Amino acid sequence: MNLAPISNVQIRPLLERYGLRATRQRLGLAKLLFGKGDRHITADTLAAEAHGARLFASLATVYNVLNLFAEVGLVRSFTVEGGKTVFDTNTTDHCHFYFEDSGEIQDIVGAKFADQFVPPEGYEIAKVDVVVRLQRKRDARAQ
Amino acid sequence: MNLAPISNVQIRPLLERYGLRATRQRLGLAKLLFGKGDRHITADTLAAEAHGARLFASLATVYNVLNLFAEVGLVRSFTVEGGKTVFDTNTTDHCHFYFEDSGEIQDIVGAKFADQFVPPEGYEIAKVDVVVRLQRKRDARAQ
DNA sequence: CTGTGTGCAAACTCTTTGCATAAGT
DNA sequence: ACTTATGCAAAGAGTTTGCACACAG
Protein backbone atom coordinates (compact mmCIF):
# COMPACT_ATOMS: atom_id res chain seq x y z
CA MET A 1 0.00 0.00 0.00
CA ASN A 2 1.52 3.19 1.26
CA LEU A 3 -0.60 5.27 -1.03
CA ALA A 4 -0.39 8.97 -1.37
CA PRO A 5 -3.32 10.80 0.23
CA ILE A 6 -6.48 9.48 -1.31
CA SER A 7 -9.28 11.67 -2.48
CA ASN A 8 -12.82 11.16 -1.40
CA VAL A 9 -14.12 9.45 -4.43
CA GLN A 10 -11.42 6.77 -4.49
CA ILE A 11 -12.32 5.29 -1.17
CA ARG A 12 -15.39 3.36 -2.17
CA PRO A 13 -13.62 1.45 -4.96
CA LEU A 14 -10.72 0.87 -2.58
CA LEU A 15 -12.98 -0.89 -0.10
CA GLU A 16 -14.68 -2.85 -2.84
CA ARG A 17 -11.35 -3.97 -4.20
CA TYR A 18 -10.74 -5.56 -0.81
CA GLY A 19 -14.16 -7.19 -0.81
CA LEU A 20 -15.53 -4.89 1.87
CA ARG A 21 -18.97 -3.43 1.92
CA ALA A 22 -18.90 0.33 1.67
CA THR A 23 -20.78 1.39 4.76
CA ARG A 24 -20.94 4.96 5.93
CA GLN A 25 -18.66 4.26 8.89
CA ARG A 26 -16.06 2.41 6.87
CA LEU A 27 -16.01 5.11 4.21
CA GLY A 28 -15.66 7.85 6.79
CA LEU A 29 -12.98 6.09 8.81
CA ALA A 30 -11.06 5.17 5.69
CA LYS A 31 -11.19 8.78 4.59
CA LEU A 32 -9.76 9.90 7.92
CA LEU A 33 -7.11 7.20 7.81
CA PHE A 34 -5.95 7.58 4.23
CA GLY A 35 -6.80 11.17 3.56
CA LYS A 36 -3.69 12.74 5.03
CA GLY A 37 -0.71 10.55 4.28
CA ASP A 38 0.82 8.11 6.74
CA ARG A 39 -0.81 7.93 10.12
CA HIS A 40 -0.28 6.13 13.39
CA ILE A 41 -3.47 6.04 15.31
CA THR A 42 -5.21 4.18 18.10
CA ALA A 43 -8.83 3.16 18.02
CA ASP A 44 -9.97 5.69 20.59
CA THR A 45 -8.12 8.54 18.91
CA LEU A 46 -9.69 7.68 15.59
CA ALA A 47 -13.09 7.43 17.23
CA ALA A 48 -12.61 10.88 18.76
CA GLU A 49 -11.49 12.27 15.43
CA ALA A 50 -14.48 10.76 13.70
CA HIS A 51 -16.76 12.24 16.28
CA GLY A 52 -15.18 15.64 15.76
CA ALA A 53 -15.86 15.29 12.05
CA ARG A 54 -19.49 14.55 12.83
CA LEU A 55 -19.04 11.00 11.66
CA PHE A 56 -20.69 8.87 14.26
CA ALA A 57 -19.09 5.53 14.76
CA SER A 58 -19.07 3.75 18.08
CA LEU A 59 -15.80 2.69 19.60
CA ALA A 60 -16.76 -0.93 19.03
CA THR A 61 -17.27 -0.23 15.35
CA VAL A 62 -13.98 1.61 15.12
CA TYR A 63 -12.29 -1.46 16.56
CA ASN A 64 -14.17 -3.72 14.18
CA VAL A 65 -13.26 -1.60 11.18
CA LEU A 66 -9.61 -1.21 12.12
CA ASN A 67 -9.21 -4.91 12.81
CA LEU A 68 -10.93 -5.67 9.54
CA PHE A 69 -8.68 -3.27 7.65
CA ALA A 70 -5.67 -4.87 9.32
CA GLU A 71 -6.83 -8.35 8.32
CA VAL A 72 -7.19 -7.49 4.66
CA GLY A 73 -3.94 -5.54 4.64
CA LEU A 74 -5.18 -1.98 4.34
CA VAL A 75 -3.42 -1.07 7.58
CA ARG A 76 -0.86 -2.68 9.85
CA SER A 77 -1.14 -2.98 13.58
CA PHE A 78 1.38 -3.33 16.34
CA THR A 79 1.42 -2.99 20.09
CA VAL A 80 3.43 -0.57 22.14
CA GLU A 81 4.32 -1.18 25.73
CA GLY A 82 1.37 -0.37 27.85
CA GLY A 83 -0.64 -2.66 25.66
CA LYS A 84 -2.04 -0.11 23.28
CA THR A 85 -2.64 -1.22 19.73
CA VAL A 86 -1.50 1.24 17.09
CA PHE A 87 -2.76 1.12 13.54
CA ASP A 88 -0.40 2.30 10.84
CA THR A 89 -1.46 3.22 7.34
CA ASN A 90 2.03 2.52 6.06
CA THR A 91 2.02 -1.22 5.45
CA THR A 92 5.52 -1.45 4.01
CA ASP A 93 8.46 -2.99 5.86
CA HIS A 94 9.65 -0.36 8.27
CA CYS A 95 10.47 0.33 11.91
CA HIS A 96 9.14 2.77 14.48
CA PHE A 97 10.46 5.27 16.95
CA TYR A 98 8.35 5.49 20.08
CA PHE A 99 8.85 8.65 22.13
CA GLU A 100 8.39 7.71 25.75
CA ASP A 101 7.80 11.28 26.83
CA SER A 102 5.04 12.16 24.40
CA GLY A 103 3.78 8.76 23.31
CA GLU A 104 4.30 9.82 19.71
CA ILE A 105 5.17 7.29 17.04
CA GLN A 106 7.29 7.98 14.00
CA ASP A 107 8.33 5.86 11.04
CA ILE A 108 12.01 5.16 10.70
CA VAL A 109 12.73 5.61 7.07
CA GLY A 110 15.08 3.26 5.32
CA ALA A 111 15.21 0.65 8.05
CA LYS A 112 14.13 -2.68 6.67
CA PHE A 113 14.50 -5.91 8.53
CA ALA A 114 11.87 -8.40 7.52
CA ASP A 115 14.16 -10.16 5.07
CA GLN A 116 17.07 -10.46 7.49
CA PHE A 117 15.47 -13.17 9.56
CA VAL A 118 15.46 -16.83 8.70
CA PRO A 119 12.32 -18.45 10.05
CA PRO A 120 12.56 -21.89 11.63
CA GLU A 121 11.63 -24.93 9.56
CA GLY A 122 7.92 -25.09 8.83
CA TYR A 123 7.25 -21.46 9.66
CA GLU A 124 7.09 -18.27 7.70
CA ILE A 125 7.35 -14.71 8.88
CA ALA A 126 3.97 -13.13 9.39
CA LYS A 127 5.45 -9.78 10.23
CA VAL A 128 8.31 -8.09 12.01
CA ASP A 129 7.60 -5.48 14.64
CA VAL A 130 10.47 -3.20 15.51
CA VAL A 131 9.92 -0.49 18.07
CA VAL A 132 12.81 1.72 19.11
CA ARG A 133 11.89 3.34 22.39
CA LEU A 134 13.37 6.80 22.90
CA GLN A 135 13.83 8.80 26.05
CA ARG A 136 14.96 12.38 26.50
CA LYS A 137 18.69 12.49 26.66
CA ARG A 138 19.79 13.28 30.18
CA ASP A 139 22.90 15.34 29.82
CA ALA A 140 25.75 13.85 31.82
CA ARG A 141 26.36 17.21 33.47
CA ALA A 142 22.78 17.66 34.54
CA GLN A 143 21.41 16.00 37.65
CA MET B 1 23.37 -10.07 32.81
CA ASN B 2 22.59 -13.23 30.93
CA LEU B 3 23.99 -15.34 33.70
CA ALA B 4 24.32 -19.04 33.63
CA PRO B 5 21.81 -20.80 35.86
CA ILE B 6 22.30 -19.54 39.37
CA SER B 7 22.45 -21.74 42.36
CA ASN B 8 20.32 -21.20 45.37
CA VAL B 9 22.80 -19.54 47.58
CA GLN B 10 23.79 -16.89 45.05
CA ILE B 11 20.40 -15.31 44.85
CA ARG B 12 20.42 -13.39 48.09
CA PRO B 13 23.65 -11.53 47.30
CA LEU B 14 22.33 -10.93 43.80
CA LEU B 15 19.32 -9.09 45.15
CA GLU B 16 21.41 -7.19 47.64
CA ARG B 17 23.78 -6.11 44.91
CA TYR B 18 20.80 -4.47 43.27
CA GLY B 19 19.74 -2.82 46.47
CA LEU B 20 16.70 -5.04 46.90
CA ARG B 21 15.51 -6.50 50.15
CA ALA B 22 15.69 -10.26 50.17
CA THR B 23 12.14 -11.24 50.92
CA ARG B 24 10.89 -14.78 50.68
CA GLN B 25 8.85 -14.01 47.58
CA ARG B 26 11.67 -12.25 45.79
CA LEU B 27 14.11 -15.00 46.60
CA GLY B 28 11.71 -17.68 45.43
CA LEU B 29 10.71 -15.89 42.25
CA ALA B 30 14.31 -15.05 41.44
CA LYS B 31 15.22 -18.67 41.91
CA LEU B 32 12.50 -19.73 39.49
CA LEU B 33 13.53 -17.05 37.02
CA PHE B 34 17.27 -17.50 37.07
CA GLY B 35 17.55 -21.12 38.09
CA LYS B 36 17.09 -22.66 34.67
CA GLY B 37 18.82 -20.50 32.13
CA ASP B 38 17.06 -18.02 29.87
CA ARG B 39 13.34 -17.76 30.31
CA HIS B 40 10.46 -15.90 28.77
CA ILE B 41 7.61 -15.76 31.17
CA THR B 42 4.46 -13.82 31.92
CA ALA B 43 3.41 -12.79 35.38
CA ASP B 44 0.54 -15.25 35.62
CA THR B 45 2.66 -18.14 34.39
CA LEU B 46 5.33 -17.36 36.96
CA ALA B 47 2.69 -17.06 39.64
CA ALA B 48 1.31 -20.47 38.71
CA GLU B 49 4.79 -21.94 38.72
CA ALA B 50 5.50 -20.45 42.10
CA HIS B 51 2.26 -21.85 43.41
CA GLY B 52 3.19 -25.27 42.07
CA ALA B 53 6.48 -25.02 43.92
CA ARG B 54 4.58 -24.23 47.11
CA LEU B 55 5.94 -20.72 47.07
CA PHE B 56 3.00 -18.52 47.79
CA ALA B 57 3.12 -15.16 46.13
CA SER B 58 0.02 -13.31 45.04
CA LEU B 59 -0.33 -12.24 41.46
CA ALA B 60 0.00 -8.62 42.55
CA THR B 61 3.29 -9.40 44.21
CA VAL B 62 4.53 -11.27 41.17
CA TYR B 63 3.79 -8.18 39.11
CA ASN B 64 5.49 -5.96 41.66
CA VAL B 65 8.56 -8.15 41.76
CA LEU B 66 8.83 -8.54 37.99
CA ASN B 67 8.41 -4.83 37.41
CA LEU B 68 10.97 -4.12 40.08
CA PHE B 69 13.44 -6.59 38.57
CA ALA B 70 12.86 -4.97 35.18
CA GLU B 71 13.51 -1.50 36.62
CA VAL B 72 16.84 -2.44 38.12
CA GLY B 73 17.86 -4.40 35.05
CA LEU B 74 17.64 -7.96 36.31
CA VAL B 75 15.13 -8.80 33.60
CA ARG B 76 13.82 -7.16 30.47
CA SER B 77 10.20 -6.78 29.53
CA PHE B 78 8.40 -6.41 26.25
CA THR B 79 4.87 -6.67 25.00
CA VAL B 80 3.53 -9.08 22.43
CA GLU B 81 0.42 -8.47 20.44
CA GLY B 82 -2.56 -9.23 22.56
CA GLY B 83 -1.08 -6.90 25.13
CA LYS B 84 0.69 -9.47 27.23
CA THR B 85 3.87 -8.41 28.95
CA VAL B 86 6.68 -10.93 28.73
CA PHE B 87 9.65 -10.87 31.07
CA ASP B 88 12.93 -12.12 29.69
CA THR B 89 15.89 -13.11 31.83
CA ASN B 90 18.24 -12.44 28.94
CA THR B 91 18.89 -8.72 29.14
CA THR B 92 21.37 -8.53 26.29
CA ASP B 93 20.60 -6.99 22.92
CA HIS B 94 18.65 -9.61 21.01
CA CYS B 95 15.45 -10.27 19.08
CA HIS B 96 12.54 -12.63 19.51
CA PHE B 97 10.58 -15.10 17.50
CA TYR B 98 6.93 -15.24 18.48
CA PHE B 99 5.09 -18.37 17.38
CA GLU B 100 1.54 -17.36 16.64
CA ASP B 101 0.25 -20.91 16.87
CA SER B 102 1.64 -21.78 20.28
CA GLY B 103 2.33 -18.39 21.79
CA GLU B 104 5.89 -19.52 22.47
CA ILE B 105 8.75 -17.04 22.47
CA GLN B 106 12.30 -17.82 21.45
CA ASP B 107 15.47 -15.77 21.40
CA ILE B 108 17.01 -15.14 18.02
CA VAL B 109 20.67 -15.65 18.52
CA GLY B 110 23.12 -13.33 16.84
CA ALA B 111 20.62 -10.70 15.84
CA LYS B 112 21.63 -7.37 17.29
CA PHE B 113 20.06 -4.13 16.30
CA ALA B 114 20.21 -1.60 19.06
CA ASP B 115 23.29 0.09 17.66
CA GLN B 116 21.94 0.35 14.12
CA PHE B 117 19.52 3.12 14.92
CA VAL B 118 20.38 6.78 15.14
CA PRO B 119 18.13 8.50 17.66
CA PRO B 120 16.76 11.96 16.88
CA GLU B 121 18.46 15.00 18.37
CA GLY B 122 17.98 15.21 22.13
CA TYR B 123 16.90 11.60 22.53
CA GLU B 124 18.66 8.41 23.36
CA ILE B 125 17.57 4.84 22.81
CA ALA B 126 15.97 3.32 25.87
CA LYS B 127 15.59 -0.05 24.24
CA VAL B 128 14.79 -1.76 20.99
CA ASP B 129 12.04 -4.34 20.85
CA VAL B 130 12.12 -6.66 17.87
CA VAL B 131 9.47 -9.33 17.58
CA VAL B 132 9.37 -11.56 14.53
CA ARG B 133 5.95 -13.12 14.36
CA LEU B 134 5.85 -16.59 12.83
CA GLN B 135 2.98 -18.54 11.40
CA ARG B 136 2.85 -22.14 10.22
CA LYS B 137 3.91 -22.29 6.63
CA ARG B 138 0.94 -22.99 4.44
CA ASP B 139 2.25 -25.11 1.63
CA ALA B 140 1.33 -23.61 -1.72
CA ARG B 141 -0.11 -26.94 -2.84
CA ALA B 142 -2.34 -27.30 0.17
CA GLN B 143 -5.68 -25.54 0.39
C1' DC C 1 -35.61 -8.71 0.74
C1' DT C 2 -31.44 -10.89 2.80
C1' DG C 3 -27.31 -10.69 4.85
C1' DT C 4 -24.08 -8.01 6.98
C1' DG C 5 -22.68 -3.99 9.87
C1' DT C 6 -23.55 -1.08 13.74
C1' DG C 7 -24.41 0.51 18.48
C1' DC C 8 -24.80 -0.26 23.07
C1' DA C 9 -23.67 -2.29 27.22
C1' DA C 10 -21.73 -5.81 29.41
C1' DA C 11 -17.99 -9.00 29.68
C1' DC C 12 -13.25 -10.01 29.54
C1' DT C 13 -8.15 -9.86 30.01
C1' DC C 14 -4.26 -8.00 31.79
C1' DT C 15 -2.26 -4.92 35.05
C1' DT C 16 -2.10 -1.56 38.79
C1' DT C 17 -3.46 0.42 43.24
C1' DG C 18 -5.03 1.29 48.23
C1' DC C 19 -4.85 -0.19 52.50
C1' DA C 20 -4.38 -3.27 56.43
C1' DT C 21 -1.24 -6.90 57.82
C1' DA C 22 3.21 -9.28 57.79
C1' DA C 23 7.99 -9.59 57.37
C1' DG C 24 12.93 -7.95 56.78
C1' DT C 25 17.05 -5.57 58.65
C1' DA D 1 11.45 -0.50 66.07
C1' DC D 2 11.16 1.18 61.68
C1' DT D 3 10.59 0.57 57.04
C1' DT D 4 9.26 -1.76 53.22
C1' DA D 5 6.79 -5.75 51.06
C1' DT D 6 2.80 -8.54 50.68
C1' DG D 7 -2.05 -9.98 49.96
C1' DC D 8 -6.48 -9.10 48.88
C1' DA D 9 -9.99 -7.07 46.53
C1' DA D 10 -11.29 -3.48 43.88
C1' DA D 11 -10.37 -0.34 40.25
C1' DG D 12 -8.57 0.64 35.82
C1' DA D 13 -7.31 0.50 30.87
C1' DG D 14 -7.96 -1.49 26.48
C1' DT D 15 -10.40 -4.57 23.72
C1' DT D 16 -13.95 -7.90 22.43
C1' DT D 17 -18.63 -9.83 22.26
C1' DG D 18 -23.86 -10.71 22.14
C1' DC D 19 -27.89 -9.19 20.60
C1' DA D 20 -31.47 -6.05 18.67
C1' DC D 21 -31.87 -2.77 15.11
C1' DA D 22 -30.39 -0.46 10.76
C1' DC D 23 -28.48 -0.31 6.43
C1' DA D 24 -26.19 -1.84 1.82
C1' DG D 25 -26.61 -4.37 -2.20
Side-chain angles (χ1 to χ4, degrees):
Chain A
M1 293 298 311
N2 200 16
L3 304 164
I6 295 177
S7 78
N8 226 324
V9 62
Q10 295 175 317
I11 291 180
R12 174 177 290 267
L14 176 68
L15 294 184
E16 285 166 355
R17 201 178 317 142
Y18 280 83
L20 307 179
R21 245 192 208 180
T23 66
R24 184 163 36 86
Q25 287 82 349
R26 289 177 184 173
L27 288 167
L29 295 175
K31 186 177 159 191
L32 290 174
L33 282 169
F34 302 115
K36 342 181 172 176
D38 286 343
R39 307 203 65 184
H40 303 96
I41 199 164
T42 58
D44 63 334
T45 305
L46 182 58
E49 200 173 292
H51 205 263
R54 262 168 271 300
L55 166 70
F56 298 104
S58 72
L59 187 55
T61 296
V62 173
Y63 272 107
N64 285 339
V65 170
L66 284 172
N67 285 330
L68 181 68
F69 283 6
E71 261 173 48
V72 300
L74 269 167
V75 299
R76 199 179 194 300
S77 70
F78 60 96
T79 304
V80 294
E81 211 155 312
K84 290 183 184 230
T85 302
V86 176
F87 295 88
D88 186 352
T89 58
N90 178 353
T91 58
T92 63
D93 178 17
H94 68 287
C95 306
H96 292 106
F97 279 136
Y98 174 75
F99 294 81
E100 293 187 342
D101 54 352
S102 64
E104 200 199 335
I105 291 167
Q106 209 173 83
D107 284 352
I108 304 178
V109 295
K112 300 189 178 187
F113 288 107
D115 45 1
Q116 298 192 14
F117 295 100
V118 180
E121 190 54 36
Y123 286 89
E124 60 189 1
I125 295 176
K127 65 173 178 166
V128 179
D129 290 336
V130 180
V131 178
V132 179
R133 296 176 64 88
L134 300 171
Q135 60 189 195
R136 271 244 149 65
K137 193 184 280 177
R138 308 154 292 185
D139 195 294
R141 287 158 299 186
Q143 213 181 71
Chain B
M1 293 299 308
N2 201 15
L3 304 164
I6 295 176
S7 79
N8 229 323
V9 62
Q10 294 176 316
I11 290 180
R12 175 177 288 267
L14 177 68
L15 294 183
E16 285 166 355
R17 201 177 317 141
Y18 281 84
L20 307 179
R21 246 193 206 179
T23 66
R24 184 164 35 86
Q25 288 82 349
R26 289 176 184 173
L27 289 166
L29 294 175
K31 185 177 160 193
L32 289 174
L33 282 169
F34 302 115
K36 339 181 176 174
D38 287 343
R39 307 203 65 185
H40 303 96
I41 200 164
T42 58
D44 63 335
T45 305
L46 182 59
E49 199 172 293
H51 205 262
R54 263 167 269 301
L55 164 71
F56 298 103
S58 72
L59 187 54
T61 295
V62 174
Y63 272 108
N64 285 340
V65 170
L66 285 172
N67 285 331
L68 180 68
F69 284 6
E71 261 172 48
V72 300
L74 270 168
V75 301
R76 196 182 196 298
S77 70
F78 61 95
T79 305
V80 295
E81 211 155 314
K84 290 181 182 229
T85 302
V86 176
F87 295 88
D88 187 351
T89 58
N90 178 353
T91 58
T92 63
D93 178 16
H94 67 287
C95 306
H96 292 106
F97 280 136
Y98 174 76
F99 294 80
E100 293 187 341
D101 54 353
S102 64
E104 200 200 335
I105 291 168
Q106 210 172 83
D107 283 353
I108 304 178
V109 295
K112 300 188 178 187
F113 289 106
D115 45 0
Q116 298 192 14
F117 294 100
V118 180
E121 189 55 36
Y123 285 90
E124 60 188 2
I125 294 176
K127 66 173 178 164
V128 179
D129 290 336
V130 180
V131 178
V132 179
R133 297 177 63 89
L134 300 171
Q135 59 189 194
R136 272 245 149 64
K137 193 184 279 179
R138 306 155 293 184
D139 195 292
R141 286 160 298 187
Q143 214 182 69

